[in-house]
Amino acid sequence: MVRSFLSLHVKAPLEEVLAFAEGRTGGAGVYLVPDPPWVSLYPEALEAQEDPEAIRAFLLDLSRLGPALAFLVLAEEELLFLLAEGGEVVAELRKGPELGEALLAPEALRPLLERARTMPPVSAVQALAGPFGLHPDHAALGFLDLLEAEEEEGLPEEVIYLE
């Protein structure tokens, strides 16, 4: 099964992320998964839209809480990676016919992004997550993955669902 997914992550206290997310569910669900010092967000509406500009806008707002990452994979063939801090994108990797090609990175991150650009998108997501101290499995999940897991076996207690 070919899948697409979106995951967002911010290095901020859970209480601040909860307050931020509660006003931005877009009438749809959002899963929050604390993985200190990160909190992962999986917003249903943004994942369904697959709109890079909407994801960028959300991430820029989120990055006012702390460093924030976004991983969007479309049909396991395209990748968008963004790192934002203080309301600005500081690193970006885009690859695929729909998303286009781009690489923006400070010198320290350039080798990591260049290597990720040569990998399949899901592998690239996992490779990019590690150096930031983010669990690779959290980066390579999306809203639908969590929804399916909740229906099949239930989710761990620390997962928060907002609607």
Side-chain angles (χ1 to χ4, degrees):
M1 175 179 132
V2 176
R3 67 188 192 104
S4 298
F5 63 86
L6 168 67
S7 68
L8 300 154
H9 314 271
V10 63
K11 201 180 268 192
L14 178 60
E15 301 74 33
E16 290 181 23
V17 180
L18 263 170
F20 171 88
E22 282 176 341
R24 293 175 176 82
T25 61
V30 177
Y31 285 104
L32 298 178
V33 180
D35 184 18
W38 292 95
V39 177
S40 300
L41 296 89
Y42 305 94
E44 180 180 22
L46 276 178
E47 182 170 295
Q49 291 167 1
E50 296 182 350
D51 176 356
E53 291 313 308
I55 292 164
R56 181 183 305 269
F58 187 93
L59 186 73
L60 292 178
D61 283 347
L62 184 63
S63 75
R64 296 183 196 289
L65 301 178
L69 304 169
F71 299 96
L72 172 67
V73 170
L74 299 176
E76 293 184 11
E77 293 179 359
E78 302 201 43
L79 171 66
L80 171 66
F81 164 76
L82 297 168
L83 165 62
E85 294 180 8
E88 293 185 29
V89 170
V90 296
E92 176 175 0
L93 173 61
R94 272 187 287 129
K95 68 176 202 169
E98 204 174 303
L99 294 172
E101 302 288 326
L103 186 115
L104 161 77
E107 209 50 49
L109 288 178
R110 185 167 290 283
L112 177 65
L113 269 63
E114 298 229 355
R115 189 170 44 101
R117 183 166 48 179
T118 66
M119 305 169 101
V122 176
S123 299
V125 165
Q126 293 175 316
L128 287 165
F132 289 99
L134 179 66
H135 195 294
D137 290 347
H138 289 193
L141 283 176
F143 179 86
L144 292 177
D145 298 315
L146 288 167
L147 184 64
E148 186 178 305
E150 184 174 33
E151 289 172 354
E152 288 181 8
E153 66 258 3
L155 292 171
E157 281 181 25
E158 66 268 12
V159 175
I160 298 164
Y161 181 76
L162 299 175
E163 201 163 20

